Amino acid sequence: MTNLADRISSVSPTASRPTAARSTASRPTAYQPAGAPTDTSGEHIDTSWLGEYLLGTWADARRESRTLMKDSAFHRDDSLGLDAQRTRVLGQLKLLVESGSVLKAFPSALGGADDHGANIASFEEIVTADPSLQIKSGVQWGLFGAAVLHLGTQRHHEKFLPGIMSLEVPGAFAMTETGHGSDVAAIGTTATYDEATQGFVIDTPFRAAWKDYLGNAALHGIAAVVFAQLITKGVNHGVHAFYVPIRDENAFLPGIGGEDDGLKGGLNGIDNGRLHFTGVRVPRENLLNRYGDVAADGSYSSDIESPGRRFFTMIGTLVQGRVSLDGASVVASKLALFIAITYASQRRQFTAADPTKEEVILDYQRHQRRLLPKLATTYAMSFAHEKLLAVFDGVFSGARATDADREDLETLAAALKSLSTWNTLEILQEAREACGGAGFLAENRLTQLRADLDIYVTFEGDNTVLLQLVAKRLLTDYSRKFTEADVATVAGYVAGQVSDAAVNRSGLRKLAQNVADFGSTARSVGFVRDAESQRQLLTDRVETMIASLAGRLRTAKKASPIEAAAIFNTNQNELIEAAIAHAELLQWEAFTEALDAISDPKTAEVTTWLRDLFGFGLIEKNLAWYLINGRLSAQRAAAITDYIDDRLLPRLRPHALDLVTAFGFEPEHVRAAVASGAERERQDEAASYFRARREAGQEPIAEKSLKKTR
């Protein structure tokens, strides 16, 4: 809601970004694909500056990681079977340790850099080499190691972190259970304190309580951070984390068993597996006790009195997984669109105006409709991720780490991770289809990336569940404004979000207010084309949806638990839709804010068109809502689609290659034959062949041309 949006907007990631005058001499030259001319007018966007800008606040960390990922030693080898893939990725983790690139978030006293933003930025770029490598390293240092770092105290850091950082102790993050994934608070594993031995006894009392889908669990892990219900003196104090050794050099330790998850739909370089515990004893000191501790006599203590708040505080310290998945999805989307748009700028198919020359497929409107809106979405995702990363670094560095800041981070991460992982799957699939049969070949990477990133929508919280968290936060913010508001007050608030002048200009209006359209597409769209009108349309949708939900859910406060659950369930779909609308607004706002720092006129103009394509695309996608709720007239709604097709796509088409070149990938990152220039060479060869035959009079006469002369 606006409270959250206003707070996030105040955290700017652009302060240390480049200005137009900043030198980019040290930046590697971006891969310049051979394709159609970028701009027939002769004006070009500043791809070098834009590429630097897109790298964001932690550009140095991204460049360092990209340089490392150029080494073929880190690349996926498609020829390997399951076992060999797992062995290769484990070896690659050791190379990452040697490089020191994965230790940025750890304490400087232990060899780290205490740099949380740079750590995430560096980690996200590993996806260009192999998503399996990225996720397995995330398990080791971003989950297993981070749990010890953020949930443990000094004694745990000194005892456990050196082995984790060096990979001497590969480990698993044992939170998810077969029967409980996103509902961590309800997990079945128990850790019962035994005063006689001053230790905890860990059990998985039934099959659904087995820890499942755990990276490093099937083969390589020798320890795990295990999440369990802490029970002492007959009282369950909720979920806590414990450091538990699980293997020696030969086999599982006594009381511990497990299974291999086996072949998966993707990410097969990771040895995912299951763990179960029967009477496994660990010392009292192995409780990661930053937020709750048990004394030798079994008494429990915590600085956070509320069990619910304690649980969410503990889980909130592990939010970096969602942040990094958001960023990795952005990188994968950029890579997919670089491949697809490069190919579309070279591939020719069908003759149109010139019977002797086939058309570049990106010149077809439908192909532009397939790829350019995805490009606009990817830019929006990229700028929004920079905002998220700034909020994350502020919390974890301690610079902005109040309870409100942490709540903002959790909500923002849940919203953006959900949208970006879903969007990326759509982008990868569209890119694959846009490359035709070539896109289905493994050598062009799109199918494997699609398979590997599929699970991202479930990692670190199922997207649908995460969006419920976002919606509840929106309702909480709303209720703070309107605790006692009646329907009339709410309606007045929503209608009053824009001035009368803006209402008339944009097509927004109060109940029963009419919109005057003037018959011209350009004139109609002109009323909603500027940034403020786009903002009003997008914001009004969120505000209205939340206001409506708040009214319908108000009766749940006085209902019985069963009745309240039924009311909530009846409105669950609307809750999710409101959360999605809110997340899309955050992306649009981030894109719009990013435009302010672009001083080169042509670059600013083109990226503004791209922002408009993103904004109008969101409005077009939800035209039914805008029409039903009287926010747009039918003619103005139709004009939006016409404006996209007739104005924005043709304007952006000449700059498509420049916009993906700005992503800054080099050939070693792309590794796709169709984006290597080979397609352009094939097309040139074919064109030369037919031209030479025509000039030599060797080309046979087409049958249909004979029929025309009869």
Side-chain angles (χ1 to χ4, degrees):
M1 200 60 178
T2 51
N3 286 6
L4 174 62
D6 290 345
R7 288 174 55 80
I8 291 169
S9 181
S10 68
V11 180
S12 175
T14 60
S16 60
R17 288 188 182 182
T19 63
R22 177 175 170 178
S23 171
T24 58
S26 62
R27 181 175 178 267
T29 301
Y31 182 15
Q32 296 282 350
T38 55
D39 185 1
T40 55
S41 72
E43 293 184 87
H44 299 270
I45 66 174
D46 188 341
T47 55
S48 180
W49 183 88
L50 183 58
E52 185 77 7
Y53 190 46
L54 287 169
L55 288 174
T57 303
W58 290 273
D60 289 341
R62 292 192 185 278
R63 279 194 294 269
E64 176 189 334
S65 184
R66 286 191 180 187
T67 298
L68 192 62
M69 291 305 108
K70 290 170 64 176
D71 189 336
S72 61
F74 293 104
H75 298 171
R76 174 187 165 85
D77 185 342
D78 289 332
S79 69
L80 300 179
L82 179 64
D83 293 340
Q85 282 189 61
R86 291 173 168 185
T87 299
R88 178 177 176 82
V89 174
L90 179 63
Q92 291 169 333
L93 288 193
K94 296 174 182 178
L95 296 178
L96 287 177
V97 172
E98 293 175 9
S99 74
S101 65
V102 291
L103 305 179
K104 291 181 173 63
F106 290 99
S108 55
L110 296 175
D114 290 306
D115 193 338
H116 301 279
N119 178 66
I120 296 295
S122 176
F123 169 76
E124 292 161 357
E125 298 295 333
I126 297 176
V127 78
T128 62
D130 183 358
S132 283
L133 173 60
Q134 184 206 32
I135 297 302
K136 191 172 176 74
S137 65
V139 169
Q140 176 67 19
W141 296 294
L143 292 176
F144 176 54
V148 174
L149 175 63
H150 297 301
L151 299 180
T153 49
Q154 190 65 32
R155 70 170 187 256
H156 301 114
H157 298 170
E158 294 173 354
K159 184 176 181 180
F160 299 131
L161 283 182
I164 295 171
M165 294 168 67
S166 68
L167 200 62
E168 180 183 349
V169 181
F173 182 78
M175 175 184 283
T176 299
E177 296 180 355
T178 305
H180 283 93
S182 298
D183 188 4
V184 178
I187 60 175
T189 303
T190 60
T192 306
Y193 185 67
D194 180 4
E195 293 181 37
T197 60
Q198 295 193 12
F200 289 93
V201 182
I202 298 178
D203 289 287
T204 47
F206 45 85
R207 175 61 185 83
W210 285 21
K211 300 298 183 180
D212 211 342
Y213 320 116
L214 315 178
N216 282 339
L219 294 173
H220 302 144
I222 65 175
V225 170
V226 178
F227 289 79
Q229 306 285 351
L230 189 159
I231 301 169
T232 181
K233 294 184 176 294
V235 177
N236 184 348
H237 292 279
V239 176
H240 289 65
F242 302 81
Y243 185 93
V244 182
I246 61 173
R247 282 188 181 91
D248 58 22
E249 62 275 11
N250 299 313
F252 282 121
L253 297 174
I256 299 174
E259 296 176 353
D260 193 326
D261 280 330
L263 189 68
K264 307 182 295 292
L267 298 179
N268 281 303
I270 307 171
D271 56 321
N272 294 93
R274 307 178 182 98
L275 296 175
H276 55 85
F277 305 87
T278 304
V280 176
R281 293 182 175 271
V282 296
R284 178 174 64 89
E285 292 77 13
N286 281 27
L287 166 64
L288 301 179
N289 64 338
R290 179 177 178 182
Y291 296 106
D293 201 6
V294 174
D297 66 358
S299 58
Y300 179 85
S301 61
S302 173
D303 292 336
I304 304 175
E305 184 176 347
S306 165
R309 183 164 166 262
R310 185 189 313 133
F311 169 75
F312 284 109
T313 300
M314 286 191 288
I315 297 301
T317 63
L318 306 174
V319 72
Q320 68 184 49
R322 293 171 187 170
V323 177
S324 63
L325 289 174
D326 177 55
S329 296
V330 172
V331 175
S333 296
K334 291 177 178 178
L335 185 59
L337 287 168
F338 182 94
I339 293 169
I341 288 177
T342 299
Y343 178 73
S345 300
Q346 300 171 1
R347 171 72 173 182
R348 293 181 178 275
Q349 193 78 64
F350 306 112
T351 57
D354 186 343
T356 65
K357 185 178 181 181
E358 293 182 299
E359 296 293 318
V360 174
I361 61 176
L362 193 55
D363 285 341
Y364 290 111
Q365 184 195 66
R366 182 57 189 168
H367 214 76
Q368 295 168 19
R369 257 288 187 170
R370 299 177 74 176
L371 295 178
L372 297 186
K374 302 297 185 190
L375 181 60
T377 297
T378 298
Y379 266 74
M381 288 161 50
S382 183
F383 290 127
H385 178 67
E386 280 299 308
K387 297 283 289 185
L388 171 59
L389 200 52
V391 174
F392 168 82
D393 187 71
V395 168
F396 279 74
S397 68
R400 296 179 298 276
T402 65
D403 287 345
D405 291 324
R406 291 182 181 277
E407 188 178 11
D408 289 346
L409 172 59
E410 291 165 19
T411 308
L412 184 60
L416 295 183
K417 179 266 182 185
S418 298
L419 248 64
S420 65
T421 53
W422 273 332
N423 283 337
T424 297
L425 292 188
E426 292 181 6
I427 290 166
L428 285 164
Q429 184 64 25
E430 197 66 66
R432 203 294 293 161
E433 293 182 32
C435 291
F440 198 61
L441 298 179
E443 69 177 13
N444 292 316
R445 301 190 64 193
L446 295 170
T447 53
Q448 189 60 56
L449 284 169
R450 176 65 171 75
D452 286 339
L453 270 73
D454 197 340
I455 191 61
Y456 282 32
V457 303
T458 305
F459 271 163
E460 303 299 317
D462 177 87
N463 285 354
T464 299
V465 176
L466 291 181
L467 288 172
Q468 289 185 80
L469 179 154
V470 175
K472 290 177 181 178
R473 170 68 190 280
L474 298 180
L475 287 167
T476 298
D477 280 356
Y478 182 87
S479 67
R480 288 169 182 163
K481 288 186 175 183
F482 299 105
T483 304
E484 302 298 331
D486 57 19
V487 174
T489 303
V490 170
Y493 167 74
V494 172
Q497 289 299 292
V498 292
S499 67
D500 287 341
V503 165
N504 292 330
R505 186 171 62 247
S506 69
L508 291 168
R509 79 272 201 172
K510 299 176 184 178
L511 189 62
Q513 181 178 347
N514 293 321
V515 175
D517 287 310
F518 300 95
S520 163
T521 294
R523 191 98 181 258
S524 290
V525 174
F527 288 104
V528 295
R529 190 169 59 199
D530 62 280
E532 282 309 306
S533 297
Q534 290 179 50
R535 178 181 284 109
Q536 289 155 9
L537 282 167
L538 296 171
T539 302
D540 177 68
R541 181 165 182 260
V542 178
E543 299 279 7
T544 302
M545 293 172 80
I546 294 300
S548 176
L549 280 165
R552 279 181 280 160
L553 292 172
R554 183 171 297 175
T555 57
K557 293 181 179 180
K558 299 179 180 179
S560 69
I562 294 177
E563 292 171 333
I567 294 170
F568 185 87
N569 190 55
T570 301
N571 292 278
Q572 189 176 38
N573 185 63
E574 286 78 6
L575 282 164
I576 300 302
E577 291 299 318
I580 291 172
H582 171 71
E584 290 170 339
L585 172 61
L586 291 175
Q587 290 179 333
W588 184 92
E589 290 279 11
F591 200 155
T592 301
E593 180 184 322
L595 296 176
D596 293 338
I598 302 176
S599 58
D600 175 67
K602 191 63 177 181
T603 305
E605 181 180 50
V606 172
T607 50
T608 298
W609 292 337
L610 198 64
R611 189 282 315 275
D612 289 346
L613 180 58
F614 178 65
F616 278 123
L618 295 178
I619 296 166
E620 183 186 49
K621 182 178 70 171
N622 298 295
L623 278 181
W625 187 93
Y626 288 105
L627 288 166
I628 290 170
N629 288 275
R631 273 22 180 213
L632 288 173
S633 68
Q635 181 165 339
R636 212 161 280 184
I640 286 174
T641 294
D642 290 341
Y643 186 70
I644 291 172
D645 290 338
D646 299 340
R647 301 293 183 89
L648 290 176
L649 295 181
R651 286 173 177 174
L652 287 166
R653 161 62 186 102
H655 305 283
L657 270 178
D658 283 346
L659 288 166
V660 295
T661 298
F663 293 154
F665 294 125
E666 298 183 65
E668 297 89 344
H669 301 125
V670 180
R671 306 193 309 280
V674 291
S676 67
E679 182 61 32
R680 178 66 178 268
E681 292 176 8
R682 285 191 291 269
Q683 296 295 330
D684 288 347
E685 179 188 20
S688 297
Y689 172 80
F690 287 113
R691 183 171 57 249
R693 286 175 63 86
R694 288 193 301 272
E695 291 172 353
Q698 298 173 346
E699 189 70 8
I701 300 172
E703 179 185 355
K704 61 182 179 181
S705 67
L706 291 175
K707 294 179 180 179
K708 290 180 180 178
T709 62
R710 290 176 183 171

